[in-house]
Amino acid sequence: MKTVLLLLCTTISLHLFAQKDTMLPPYQRYPNVPPLQLLLQDSATKYTKADLPKKKPVLVMMFSPDCDHCQHTAEAFAANADKLKDIHILMITTAPLHRMKEFAETYKLSAMANVVMAKDIYYLLPPFFDMRSFPFMALYNKKGDLIKAVDGSIAVDKLLELFNSSK
């Protein structure tokens, strides 16, 4: 009887460990620009999905001011500002506002009219995007449909190629 019980317990536990999490992360289940509840640098203005420009591709980039890869990406954006001018870039952090402002000034992102720096005050986007590292980028076409999600850095030319392939 003990052998049967041991065999049954072993079979059940192996079955449970063999289960895989097949649930897709929210950004894949809902492949549109997520509802946004962001705070802009002035610490008073809210930025929502309704504030996004219509019929313009959107790059949502989650970043940390302390992340080396995020810093290199910001440098690349500033160096290629003319190539990126037709893409609305929404750079979002959960860091304090003063760190976000310093980051924008250091990398001259404030000079780019198509870049919006904002804070995710409710920490909604990291779990929505199932983020594993910084930077995280979600590329959306003119209709607001997800083109691709990128965990980590990506070259500006590759980024532009992805946006152009969705036209």
Side-chain angles (χ1 to χ4, degrees), residues 109-124:
L109 298 170
S110 301
M112 296 175 64
N114 61 319
V115 174
V116 173
M117 302 287 291
K119 177 177 173 134
D120 181 5
I121 53 176
Y122 300 115
Y123 300 89
L124 298 174

Side-chain angles (χ1 to χ4, degrees), residues 80-122:
N80 293 284
D82 57 326
K83 292 181 183 178
L84 296 168
K85 69 180 184 292
D86 295 328
I87 300 169
H88 185 72
I89 301 172
L90 188 54
M91 295 186 69
I92 304 168
T93 186
T94 56
L97 288 174
H98 73 278
R99 295 286 294 128
M100 179 179 67
K101 289 178 188 178
E102 290 169 3
F103 187 86
E105 291 168 9
T106 301
Y107 297 101
K108 303 188 181 20
L109 298 170
S110 301
M112 296 175 64
N114 61 319
V115 174
V116 173
M117 302 287 291
K119 177 177 173 134
D120 181 5
I121 53 176
Y122 300 115

Side-chain angles (χ1 to χ4, degrees), residues 38-98:
L38 307 172
L39 187 63
L40 297 181
Q41 292 182 41
D42 66 5
S43 74
T45 308
K46 294 241 176 146
Y47 189 93
T48 66
K49 187 175 177 176
D51 296 313
L52 290 172
K54 305 293 184 232
K55 297 185 181 182
K56 191 169 184 179
V58 174
L59 169 63
V60 174
M61 178 178 158
M62 297 294 299
F63 77 99
S64 169
D66 301 320
C67 164
D68 288 339
H69 296 288
C70 300
Q71 295 166 3
H72 293 302
T73 300
E75 287 172 348
F77 285 179
N80 293 284
D82 57 326
K83 292 181 183 178
L84 296 168
K85 69 180 184 292
D86 295 328
I87 300 169
H88 185 72
I89 301 172
L90 188 54
M91 295 186 69
I92 304 168
T93 186
T94 56
L97 288 174
H98 73 278

Side-chain angles (χ1 to χ4, degrees), residues 4-6 9 27 41-43 46 62 73 108 117 143 146 150 154-155 159 161 164-165:
V4 172
L5 185 59
L6 181 64
C9 288
Y27 78 93
Q41 292 182 41
D42 66 5
S43 74
K46 294 241 176 146
M62 297 294 299
T73 300
K108 303 188 181 20
M117 302 287 291
K143 296 176 185 175
L146 182 68
V150 179
I154 184 171
L159 193 68
E161 186 181 304
N164 289 332
S165 69

